[in-house]
């Protein structure tokens, strides 16, 4: 199996941080690059749209997290990129965190996806954990759920 790009969706939860550690290990083992996908949950997207939260402050948080991940990369062979996507849409009912993750995986031509396992938590901040089963079921790439 050849892996050139590992996708690691993150949402700020402890579970997604753990998944990033596994994604780093996979990228290191295969000499692959890594892409962090920051998935925004519904209430945060609504707050940004309403002007209650500044988009730049969210972007700044994402840069800090990406910089922290970049510091943990072993060697110079792994490049790190990142992007942000809304995990929900009021206009597109079919859009969910799982479908967003899979859409981005296809767009960036990811070879491997690492997602946090679904939790019993009802915390709305954990947008990605709820998507794990969907990603595992419909991904065309190998998926590691941790």
């Amino acid at each position: 199996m050849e892996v050139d790009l590992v996708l690691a969706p993150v949402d700020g939860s402890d579970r997604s941080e753990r998944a990033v550690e596994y994604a780093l290990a996979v990228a290191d083992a295969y000499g692959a690059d890594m892409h962090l996908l920051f998935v925004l949950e519904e209430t945060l997207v609504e707050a940004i749209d309403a002007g209650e939260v500044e988009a730049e402050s969210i972007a700044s948080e994402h840069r800090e997290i990406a910089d922290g991940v970049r510091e943990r990369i072993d060697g110079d062979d792994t490049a790190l990129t990142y992007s942000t996507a809304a995990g929900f849409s009021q206009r597109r009912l079919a859009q969910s965190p799982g479908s967003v993750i899979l859409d981005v995986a296809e767009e960036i031509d990811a070879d491997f996806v690492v997602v946090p396992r679904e939790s019993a938590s009802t915390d709305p901040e954990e947008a990605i954990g709820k998507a794990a089963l969907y990603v595992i079921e419909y991904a065309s790439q190998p998926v590691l759920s941790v």
Side-chain angles (χ1 to χ4, degrees):
M1 179 171 78
E2 187 173 322
V3 176
D4 294 320
L5 183 60
V6 178
L7 173 63
V10 294
D11 61 6
S13 68
D14 290 341
R15 288 187 184 308
S16 70
E17 176 64 27
R18 184 169 172 241
V20 166
E21 293 301 321
Y22 279 87
L24 284 167
V26 170
D28 185 49
Y30 286 95
D33 294 332
M34 190 163 139
H35 185 89
L36 295 177
L37 172 63
F38 293 95
V39 180
L40 304 180
E41 58 90 29
E42 186 174 16
T43 57
L44 181 56
V45 172
E46 291 171 355
I48 292 170
D49 289 344
E52 298 166 359
V53 174
E54 290 201 24
E56 180 52 39
S57 69
I58 301 301
S60 178
E61 288 177 27
H62 293 175
R63 281 191 296 273
E64 287 178 29
I65 292 169
D67 288 344
V69 171
R70 192 172 281 115
E71 290 174 3
R72 296 189 310 238
I73 292 174
D74 291 332
D76 296 328
D77 293 338
T78 301
L80 177 69
T81 56
Y82 64 93
S83 61
T84 302
F88 297 89
S89 172
Q90 296 295 336
R91 292 176 227 101
R92 292 182 50 209
L93 297 179
Q95 183 173 329
S96 68
S99 66
V100 168
I101 292 166
L102 294 179
D103 288 347
V104 170
E106 292 302 317
E107 285 174 22
I108 66 171
D109 201 23
D111 301 302
F112 201 98
V113 180
V114 180
V115 292
R117 215 171 263 154
E118 187 170 357
S119 72
S121 171
T122 58
D123 184 352
E125 297 293 317
E126 294 188 17
I128 296 173
K130 298 171 187 151
L133 186 58
Y134 184 92
V135 172
I136 292 167
E137 192 168 329
Y138 295 106
S140 58
Q141 307 84 350
V143 177
L144 174 63
S145 177
V146 295

